[in-house]
Amino acid sequence: MDSLSRTEKIRYSRHLLLPEIGIAGQEKLKQAKVLIIGAGGLGSPSSLYLAAAGIGTLGIVDFDLIDATNLQRQVLYDTDAVGKSKVQMAKERLSRLNPEITIRMHDQRFSASTAKELIAAYDIVIDGTDNFSTRYLVNDACVLMNKPNVYGSIFRFEGQSSVFSYAGGPCYRCLFPEPPEGDAIPNCAEGGVLGVIAGIIGCIQANECIKIICSIGKTLKGRLLLFDSLAMSFDELKIDRNPKCPVCGNLPTITELRDQDEICASQNQPGAPTATTNSNRVSTTKESTVMKEITAIELKKELSSGKELVVLDVRTPPEVALGRLESCVHIPLQELNQRLDELDKEKDIVVYCKSGGRSRRAIEVLQNHGFKHLRNLTGGITAWSFEVDPSIVVG
Amino acid sequence: MKIHIPSPLRSYTKNESIVESHGSSVRELLQNLDHAYPGIRFRMIDEQDGIRQHIRIFVERNQVTDLSMPLKGNELVHIICALSGG
């Protein structure tokens, strides 16, 4: 086992004074290899504290660039880092914080094809993902590779944390067997999140990680921690391992990793929408209903020509308050079923949301109620802001 | 009894995080909850009368697997929802 240098003994002296950690525990931390998947709201505090704590090897996986909307909670990054690589900036920041440790950058999307190889080189995984697709992939990979998965998730003023796939305990799929369909659950890019929540839950993840490495205390294995910042309350629920779990159960049906196709927050970045000039473009919904699409530039042309059409915004009121298309009709997706009489079935309707996901769901609702002249704004108001009117702020 | 409502469903409960309802079983409790907050049950229960896969219900901190589970009337109920944010 690596012994601690004099410099390290000074740096970690407050740990060394704790009988539960001491020199033996600090040496375990130095030996440990921890992989943080997602260098965002959760990955920022967890990586900062794990680096400061002296985790010997810290791996960071992310493919994204830093966006101005990240800065409210992703405390790894400074304002002048906007537009730069997250893992590169994370490495620079964490290396300055603690030059005694090794930081490995994995500037890539966490995908089924690379997950096993990536995780194999680490002892523990921190789930700092921001979308269900990657979250389920992290879980499945950890179960298949028998690695502890320190879980955290956040939304608005609420957070959850647990330790999955550890010492015979349950996994994430034991709790939630399958991800929600489509837009059943909004993400933080749609519903918002208090930045501090990411800090609190990310720190809880770092705490659980250190406990696992040092074999101290009682981890969150088999317990789901709920945090409500408005009530300022912590609560916990009991989670049992599910013998019928599709990945860790007695007869697992998931034995290989697969990427799940879904709308995720990481697809909602500025610049993501791709402009095209094909006005006959169609897309297919989950129910295989043909759906017409229109690009932001095409919509701009139609509006400028005076063509009579209704532009329907199905986002939430706080999103609309930030910026909207002029003279749009606003009906939040959740209220659409109850407010159909506000729309004329005979008119051409272009539906938009932030990036095109909820508007597709809205079109399905309208189609089911006999509306026929419907088009989806490809890339939503994000595309409109990017391609037509940069003055519109998209949250 | 007191029911904890997760953030994604609070638009039905006028943003209340804890609401009161009653029922002799979890199924009846959810029906009564839906009378008070129309539409909320469908967000939790699918067309086959099963709990949606991204929603879990806990009574006295233990997971409910059967909607016919009887209730005494003074239990603490948590409804939780999978959260994607990070």
Side-chain angles (χ1 to χ4, degrees):
Chain A
M1 184 169 281
D2 292 356
S3 57
L4 301 175
S5 67
R6 182 175 182 279
T7 310
E8 288 172 318
K9 283 178 181 169
I10 294 169
R11 175 182 281 270
Y12 305 122
S13 62
R14 298 299 185 272
H15 276 174
L16 304 183
L17 290 170
L18 296 169
E20 293 82 355
I21 296 183
I23 287 187
Q26 194 62 49
E27 284 175 342
K28 286 181 185 173
L29 294 173
K30 186 176 179 178
Q31 285 281 308
K33 298 180 177 69
V34 175
L35 181 65
I36 298 175
I37 301 175
L42 295 173
S44 287
S46 58
S47 63
L48 284 164
Y49 274 98
L50 291 174
I55 300 296
T57 303
L58 212 48
I60 315 266
V61 188
D62 208 308
F63 70 98
D64 225 342
L65 304 179
I66 298 160
D67 181 76
T69 62
N70 300 154
L71 300 175
Q72 156 260 20
R73 65 199 177 285
Q74 299 184 15
V75 294
L76 266 175
Y77 312 117
D78 298 323
T79 305
D80 60 6
V82 169
K84 294 179 180 170
S85 155
K86 281 192 174 180
V87 289
Q88 182 62 45
M89 290 297 102
K91 181 181 168 71
E92 289 180 19
R93 172 79 179 90
L94 297 171
S95 298
R96 282 198 304 276
L97 173 63
N98 191 348
E100 304 288 334
I101 64 171
T102 301
I103 311 289
R104 290 186 192 152
M105 292 188 298
H106 302 285
D107 196 348
Q108 62 191 77
R109 187 186 290 274
F110 188 74
S111 68
S113 59
T114 57
K116 277 188 176 178
E117 189 183 351
L118 206 50
I119 285 181
Y122 294 89
D123 307 314
I124 298 176
V125 171
I126 303 275
D127 175 359
T129 57
D130 65 357
N131 63 84
F132 285 117
S133 178
T134 317
R135 198 176 289 291
Y136 276 83
L137 182 60
V138 169
N139 177 74
D140 296 350
C142 286
V143 171
L144 296 178
M145 300 296 288
N146 197 26
K147 304 281 183 180
N149 170 14
V150 184
Y151 157 80
S153 66
I154 53 175
F155 182 65
R156 292 185 178 156
F157 297 92
E158 185 180 6
Q160 300 175 352
S161 187
S162 189
V163 172
F164 293 123
S165 177
Y166 176 56
C171 80
Y172 185 61
R173 281 191 194 267
C174 292
L175 180 63
F176 298 116
E178 297 291 336
E181 289 182 6
D183 300 303
I185 303 296
N187 58 37
C188 293
E190 294 161 359
V193 65
L194 187 70
V196 175
I197 305 294
I200 292 167
I201 298 296
C203 285
I204 288 171
Q205 290 178 282
N207 182 62
E208 291 304 291
C209 183
I210 289 168
K211 283 161 56 187
I212 292 170
I213 294 165
C214 296
S215 304
I216 56 172
K218 180 185 174 189
T219 71
L220 283 172
K221 181 188 90 169
R223 296 185 289 156
L224 179 70
L225 186 75
L226 305 176
F227 173 59
D228 182 335
S229 78
L230 291 179
M232 190 41 76
S233 66
F234 285 91
D235 213 332
E236 67 172 69
L237 304 172
K238 186 168 175 282
I239 318 170
D240 294 319
R241 186 171 161 270
N242 178 6
K244 294 179 181 171
C245 174
V247 65
C248 79
N250 298 338
L251 294 169
T253 53
I254 298 170
T255 53
E256 287 297 324
L257 297 179
R258 59 188 180 192
D259 289 312
Q260 299 192 43
D261 181 30
E262 66 153 21
I263 300 156
C264 63
S266 54
Q267 291 170 330
N268 293 341
Q269 299 303 314
T274 307
T276 132
T277 55
N278 180 5
S279 57
N280 295 319
R281 192 177 55 262
V282 294
S283 60
T284 308
T285 66
K286 272 181 304 204
E287 291 79 13
S288 296
T289 309
V290 172
M291 188 174 291
K292 287 184 180 172
E293 298 270 340
I294 181 170
T295 67
I297 290 169
E298 290 163 354
L299 177 59
K300 170 69 177 168
K301 280 182 190 165
E302 289 194 17
L303 291 171
S304 300
S305 73
K307 181 174 178 178
E308 189 181 355
L309 53 86
V310 174
V311 180
L312 174 63
D313 187 329
V314 294
R315 296 175 300 155
T316 61
E319 289 178 281
V320 173
L322 274 177
R324 60 194 286 179
L325 266 68
E326 207 173 314
S327 68
C328 71
V329 174
H330 174 222
I331 304 177
L333 175 59
Q334 207 166 60
E335 298 174 16
L336 190 56
N337 264 314
Q338 290 80 44
R339 295 175 58 184
L340 292 169
D341 56 353
E342 295 176 32
L343 298 168
D344 187 341
K345 284 183 182 171
E346 301 308 314
K347 288 192 174 170
D348 283 339
I349 302 176
V350 173
V351 189
Y352 77 89
C353 60
K354 180 179 178 182
S355 56
R358 280 171 289 171
S359 52
R360 290 159 62 85
R361 182 86 184 93
I363 286 176
E364 287 172 25
V365 171
L366 294 170
Q367 284 175 333
N368 291 339
H369 286 86
F371 287 80
K372 290 188 172 62
H373 313 294
L374 301 162
R375 284 177 291 173
N376 184 45
L377 177 59
T378 307
I381 196 169
T382 307
W384 180 270
S385 170
F386 192 67
E387 297 166 7
V388 177
D389 184 1
S391 71
I392 287 186
V393 175
V394 182
Chain B
M1 65 196 83
K2 284 185 165 48
I3 305 163
H4 285 253
I5 305 294
S7 293
L9 300 185
R10 287 181 196 164
S11 56
Y12 292 92
T13 61
K14 299 185 176 67
N15 242 7
E16 291 296 326
S17 59
I18 301 175
V19 299
E20 292 268 354
S21 191
H22 63 279
S24 60
S25 67
V26 174
R27 180 178 282 106
E28 194 178 298
L29 175 75
L30 296 182
Q31 282 163 355
N32 289 333
L33 195 64
D34 197 63
H35 287 146
Y37 307 104
I40 195 169
R41 183 181 178 279
F42 186 69
R43 295 288 303 276
M44 300 184 276
I45 306 297
D46 62 23
E47 292 88 343
Q48 287 75 43
D49 201 33
I51 302 170
R52 294 187 186 277
Q53 301 279 281
H54 63 280
I55 297 281
R56 299 289 95 168
I57 301 169
F58 292 76
V59 172
E60 293 296 312
R61 297 189 167 77
N62 289 292
Q63 192 175 325
V64 172
T65 53
D66 183 356
L67 290 175
S68 60
M69 176 185 174
L71 296 171
K72 292 175 192 163
N74 57 353
E75 293 93 337
L76 182 63
V77 177
H78 285 85
I79 295 165
I80 66 160
C81 190
L83 305 178
S84 66

